[in-house]
């Protein structure tokens, strides 16, 4: 189970890292042209803030147990990711994007697995 939780955390960390990099470092005008939906109705500040949160999530899913400092941050980060994905699902549903609702639902399920696994099944240090 420990290996499955590490793999899930790594996959979610890569997703968060890529999303965070794109929202933080790609100019909003270019994001609007690529994405064309939710970013066009949102200011640059909230888009960048979301990107920074995703970068923090990528770090929070992997780094704490590797350095041995506050590994409880992994399930806490996964729980925060669940909340973020609920917001993303609502946003994509309002915009009529069922494929993105499904994709964010998958990310939500992975985050739930990590949170449950690290809080209950296989906590670090147990």
């Amino acid at each position: 189970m420990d290996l499955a939780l590490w793999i899930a955390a790594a996959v979610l960390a890569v997703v968060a890292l890529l999303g965070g990099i794109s929202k933080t470092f790609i100019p909003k005008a270019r994001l609007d042209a690529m994405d064309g939906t939710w970013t066009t109705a949102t200011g640059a500040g909230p888009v960048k803030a979301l990107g920074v949160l995703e970068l923090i999530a990528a770090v929070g899913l992997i780094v704490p147990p590797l350095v041995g400092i506050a590994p409880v941050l992994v399930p806490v980060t996964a729980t925060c990711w669940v909340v973020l994905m609920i917001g993303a699902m609502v946003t994509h549903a309002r915009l009529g994007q069922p494929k993105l609702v499904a994709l964010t639902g998958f990310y939500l399920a992975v985050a739930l697995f990590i949170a449950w696994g690290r809080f209950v099944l296989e906590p670090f240090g147990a």
Side-chain angles (χ1 to χ4, degrees):
M1 183 59 71
D2 186 55
L3 180 61
L5 289 165
W6 271 106
I7 291 169
V11 167
L12 204 57
V14 168
V15 167
L17 182 66
L18 294 175
I21 288 171
S22 69
K23 290 175 190 76
T24 305
F25 299 110
I26 295 176
K28 185 176 174 307
R30 195 160 148 213
L31 282 176
D32 291 346
M34 290 180 352
D35 200 37
T37 54
W38 77 271
T39 59
T40 57
T42 307
V47 173
K48 298 278 186 216
L50 183 57
V52 170
L53 287 175
E54 289 177 340
L55 292 173
I56 292 169
V59 171
L61 287 167
I62 300 296
V63 173
L66 290 180
V67 297
I69 299 173
V72 73
L73 288 176
V74 173
V76 170
T77 301
T79 303
C80 292
W81 189 264
V82 167
V83 173
L84 187 66
M85 290 300 100
I86 291 169
M89 289 176 75
V90 168
T91 299
H92 291 304
R94 285 183 179 169
L95 294 171
Q97 301 170 321
K99 289 180 183 176
L100 291 177
V101 171
L103 182 62
T104 53
F106 172 74
Y107 297 150
L108 183 147
V110 172
L112 279 173
F113 171 68
I114 296 166
W116 176 61
R118 289 302 181 197
F119 273 134
V120 178
L121 295 179
E122 189 107 16
F124 290 110

